[in-house]
């Protein structure tokens, strides 16, 4: 069902109804919306009567969901106008009650850009100067900013996220309130923090968001492991930035891929602990890749990332120092066997970003490694056992008994290919025939 149809049904029943919040904001900014929120003077019993195909997700708030029925449709949430009581846990109101006035419903919302209403008959209805703030590119809390953040501390992260995604600035009173109330982050669940933080990290402007998180002090509460990187002088001729700036630039130069953005953010967090200074006064960070991966493991578990995603990020961090001008086919095969084809491409992306955030010394080496890898692929060379020109069935056809020996022979063949033997079926089968007894 389309939101226009929902509004018509509510209006025909004599009820007020508006599209509200992010959907209206995105409509004005010509951005896609993936769900629609409608606020209405209808009560929950009216919604049950008018939209019997829907279902309730919150009996207290009276939110009624209309799931998409056809491809291209989006989910629609309908919520009666409401007012809220005092917030006791910085997340949920102590009570919610119905109000017949849309003005009261709008006043309890977070930011002016999310307080706009729309209905096709009236157009945009603006009770909070949200249109002006969109025009000026401003994130401004509705009413008293500190009150809004005490009601739900997640709004501080959401404000920074909106500024990041939209390229807006946070209005001074709202920004000051985030600084004043940042300790309330402690009351949020890690799942809620993670959802907002990842949206910032995966946005088009992650550095704007990370810079805002640091300058407001919020980052100290959600990722304290990054604090030692702030203004940390790397003291090494290969680095042109302090460690924090290096990290920001590395993040900026990675594609919007979850594992890459996390890997870029955390790839050097072990540096401060591993710093040594040689006799010439230059700093070195031996083993920082392994320590960074170890520290990142705890962070990624805390942020509830899936097991496979965590492992890929940790592998990328642990291997990001493996850029070697002498790397040949064997080194590339080792990386592909550990990371897989996609993981190897991600390793190239991360190491490029790391190099661009330094002096770019390694870019030519990385390009050469990528060229060797491409040539190997074009020549159908083996990177893993499954790429061998022979398989277990071929080995059994030679009279080898089924069992562990088949695997050992395949491993031995892979080693021969790794040392330069062509990956061709005839040649590999001849090798097995010749050395079968020894194998």
């Amino acid at each position: 069902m389309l939101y226009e149809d929902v509004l018509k049904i509510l209006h025909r029943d004599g009820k007020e109804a508006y599209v509200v919040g992010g959907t209206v904001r995105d409509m004005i900014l010509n951005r896609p919306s993936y769900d629609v929120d409608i606020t209405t003077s209808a009560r929950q019993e009216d919604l049950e009567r008018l939209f019997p195909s829907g279902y309730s997700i919150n009996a207290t708030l009276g939110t009624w969901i209309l799931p998409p029925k056809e491809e291209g449709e989006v989910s629609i949430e309908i919520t009666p106008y409401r007012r809220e009581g005092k917030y006791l846990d910085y997340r949920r109101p102590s009570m919610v009650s119905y109000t017949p006035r849309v003005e009261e419903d709008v006043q309890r919302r977070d930011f002016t850009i999310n307080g706009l209403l729309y209905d096709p008959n009236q157009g945009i209805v603006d009770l909070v100067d949200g249109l002006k703030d969109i025009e000026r590119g401003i994130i401004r809390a509705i009413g008293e900013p500190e009150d809004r953040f005490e009601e739900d501390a997640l709004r501080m992260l959401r404000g920074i996220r909106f500024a990041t995604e939209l390229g807006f600035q946070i209005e001074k009173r709202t920004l000051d309130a985030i600084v004043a109330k940042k300790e309330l982050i402690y009351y949020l669940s890690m799942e809620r923090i993670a959802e907002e933080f990842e949206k910032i990290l995966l946005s088009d402007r992650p550095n704007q968001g990370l810079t805002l998180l640091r300058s407001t002090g919020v980052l100290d509460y959600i990722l304290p492991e990054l604090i030692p990187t702030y203004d940390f002088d790397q003291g090494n001729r290969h680095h042109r930035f302090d460690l924090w700036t290096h990290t920001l630039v590395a993040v900026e130069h990675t594609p919007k891929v979850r594992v890459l953005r996390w890997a870029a953010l955390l790839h050097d967090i072990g540096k401060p602990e591993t710093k040594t200074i040689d006799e010439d006064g230059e700093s070195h960070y031996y083993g920082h890749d392994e320590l960074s991966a170890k520290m990142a493991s705890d962070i990624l578990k805390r942020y509830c990332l899936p097991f496979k995603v965590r492992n890929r990020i940790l592998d990328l961090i642990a291997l990001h120092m493996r850029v070697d001008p002498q790397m040949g086919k064997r080194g590339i095969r080792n990386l592909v066997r550990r990371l897989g084809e996609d993981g190897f491409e991600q390793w190239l992306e991360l190491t490029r970003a790391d190099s661009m955030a330094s002096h770019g010394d390694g870019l030519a080496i990385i390009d050469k490694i990528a060229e060797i890898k491409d040539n190997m692929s074009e020549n159908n060379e083996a990177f893993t056992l499954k790429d061998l020109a022979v398989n277990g069935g071929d080995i059994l056809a030679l009279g080898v008994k089924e069992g562990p020996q088949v695997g050992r022979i395949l491993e031995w063949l892979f080693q021969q290919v790794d040392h330069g033997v062509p990956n061709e079926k005839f040649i590999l089968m001849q090798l097995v025939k010749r050395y079968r007894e020894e194998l």
Side-chain angles (χ1 to χ4, degrees):
M1 184 177 291
L2 301 176
Y3 74 80
E4 294 92 340
D5 298 324
V6 175
L7 294 176
K8 286 178 184 177
I9 292 170
L10 288 164
H11 290 157
R12 280 201 302 264
D13 202 57
K15 307 297 189 295
E16 293 179 8
Y18 302 91
V19 179
V20 66
T23 308
V24 184
R25 177 198 69 224
D26 291 338
M27 189 187 306
I28 295 167
L29 292 170
N30 197 28
R31 300 175 78 240
S33 283
Y34 301 103
D35 52 33
V36 176
D37 292 321
I38 289 177
T39 187
T40 178
S41 61
R43 307 292 289 263
Q44 185 163 18
E45 54 268 27
D46 299 318
L47 300 179
E48 292 175 10
R49 171 175 52 85
L50 295 170
F51 306 101
S53 64
Y55 59 92
S56 175
I57 60 166
N58 192 316
T60 302
L61 303 181
T63 301
W64 196 252
I65 298 289
L66 301 181
K69 291 184 177 179
E70 299 178 9
E71 188 175 348
E73 291 187 357
V74 298
S75 175
I76 298 175
E77 293 190 13
I78 313 171
T79 306
Y81 298 159
R82 66 180 191 256
R83 62 169 73 92
E84 297 170 344
K86 188 174 179 60
Y87 283 67
L88 303 178
D89 60 359
Y90 308 107
R91 177 183 174 185
R92 290 177 292 259
S94 56
M95 56 83 68
V96 175
S97 60
Y98 173 80
T99 175
R101 301 180 62 242
V102 69
E103 293 83 0
E104 285 191 82
D105 183 86
V106 168
Q107 287 300 318
R108 60 149 185 104
R109 297 179 181 271
D110 53 8
F111 302 104
T112 59
I113 63 170
N114 297 331
L116 296 166
L117 306 164
Y118 169 77
D119 112 65
N121 300 319
Q122 301 178 62
I124 302 292
V125 178
D126 185 3
L127 305 174
V128 291
D129 283 338
L131 283 172
K132 187 186 297 182
D133 286 341
I134 288 177
E135 184 179 339
R136 294 187 301 166
I138 294 294
I139 305 296
R140 180 168 59 90
I142 294 175
E144 286 298 324
E146 293 194 8
D147 291 346
R148 296 290 81 77
F149 300 144
E150 286 185 356
E151 289 167 353
D152 187 350
L154 191 70
R155 286 172 171 170
M156 293 183 280
L157 276 171
R158 282 169 56 81
I160 291 172
R161 193 249 296 176
F162 290 135
T164 303
E165 290 181 336
L166 302 175
F168 284 14
Q169 300 297 312
I170 301 179
E171 176 262 343
K172 186 179 185 305
R173 287 181 65 244
T174 302
L175 189 65
D176 290 344
I178 293 175
V179 175
K181 295 296 180 179
K182 59 183 180 291
E183 293 89 350
L184 299 181
I185 295 292
Y186 276 133
Y187 292 91
L188 297 175
S189 70
M190 201 63 236
E191 289 80 5
R192 298 184 82 208
I193 291 172
E195 182 178 0
E196 291 298 325
F197 181 75
E198 283 209 317
K199 288 178 180 177
I200 293 170
L201 193 60
L202 292 172
S203 71
D204 290 331
R205 307 172 188 83
N207 291 3
Q208 178 179 342
L210 291 167
T211 300
L212 271 171
L213 288 169
R214 178 187 169 181
S215 64
T216 55
V218 172
L219 192 61
D220 298 358
Y221 289 86
I222 65 173
L223 256 176
E225 293 88 347
L226 287 174
I227 295 174
T229 71
Y230 299 168
D231 307 315
F232 181 88
D233 184 356
Q234 299 197 75
N236 185 290
R237 67 183 182 278
H238 297 294
H239 288 283
R240 55 187 171 133
F241 299 124
D242 66 77
L243 185 52
W244 168 254
T245 306
H246 167 80
T247 300
L248 290 183
V249 176
V251 170
E252 186 178 58
H253 282 92
T254 52
K256 289 193 294 183
V257 176
R258 193 182 195 186
V259 297
L260 283 172
R261 287 283 171 89
W262 272 108
L265 180 68
L266 304 178
H267 77 285
D268 277 349
I269 55 172
K271 273 191 169 180
E273 282 192 43
T274 58
K275 180 178 179 179
T276 58
I277 302 176
D278 65 21
E279 57 187 14
D280 296 322
E282 189 165 50
S283 299
H284 300 278
Y285 305 95
Y286 303 115
H288 81 270
D289 39 3
E290 290 89 352
L291 180 58
S292 296
K294 182 179 179 182
M295 294 172 67
S297 178
D298 294 334
I299 294 169
L300 299 175
K301 287 178 185 175
R302 190 169 79 234
Y303 270 76
C304 310
L305 269 68
F307 179 76
K308 287 186 177 180
V309 174
R310 291 203 314 264
N311 280 354
R312 172 58 57 81
I313 295 168
L314 298 179
D315 280 342
L316 291 172
I317 293 173
L319 297 170
H320 82 273
M321 293 298 292
R322 295 290 181 90
V323 176
D324 183 349
Q326 304 304 316
M327 182 181 286
K329 293 181 178 181
R330 186 180 300 179
I332 291 172
R333 283 195 184 95
N334 287 338
L335 283 174
V336 173
R337 289 194 79 177
R338 178 162 174 180
L339 296 170
E341 294 270 0
D342 290 344
F344 181 81
E345 294 302 319
Q346 291 169 344
W347 178 82
L348 290 174
E349 293 279 9
L350 177 62
T351 53
R352 283 195 186 100
D354 189 24
S355 184
M356 285 190 279
S358 303
H359 271 301
D361 303 353
L363 288 174
I365 300 170
I366 296 164
D367 289 342
K368 183 63 176 177
I369 293 170
E371 183 182 354
I372 295 171
K373 165 64 169 58
D374 289 342
N375 289 336
M376 292 172 70
S377 296
E378 289 174 7
N379 294 329
N380 200 31
E381 296 192 33
F383 295 101
T384 64
L385 286 181
K386 68 180 178 61
D387 299 322
L388 284 174
V390 298
N391 56 36
D394 297 319
I395 305 302
L396 292 172
L398 293 175
V400 177
K401 291 183 179 180
E402 189 170 356
Q405 188 180 12
V406 175
R408 287 197 295 269
I409 291 173
L410 289 172
E411 285 284 356
W412 179 79
L413 287 174
F414 185 85
Q415 291 172 18
Q416 306 316 301
V417 170
D418 199 27
H419 284 82
V421 172
N423 184 32
E424 296 178 15
K425 184 171 183 177
F426 177 79
I427 294 174
L428 297 182
M429 293 293 277
Q430 291 303 311
L431 278 176
V432 177
K433 289 176 183 177
R434 188 180 307 167
Y435 295 103
R436 179 178 167 187
E437 290 185 8
E438 296 178 28
L439 293 170

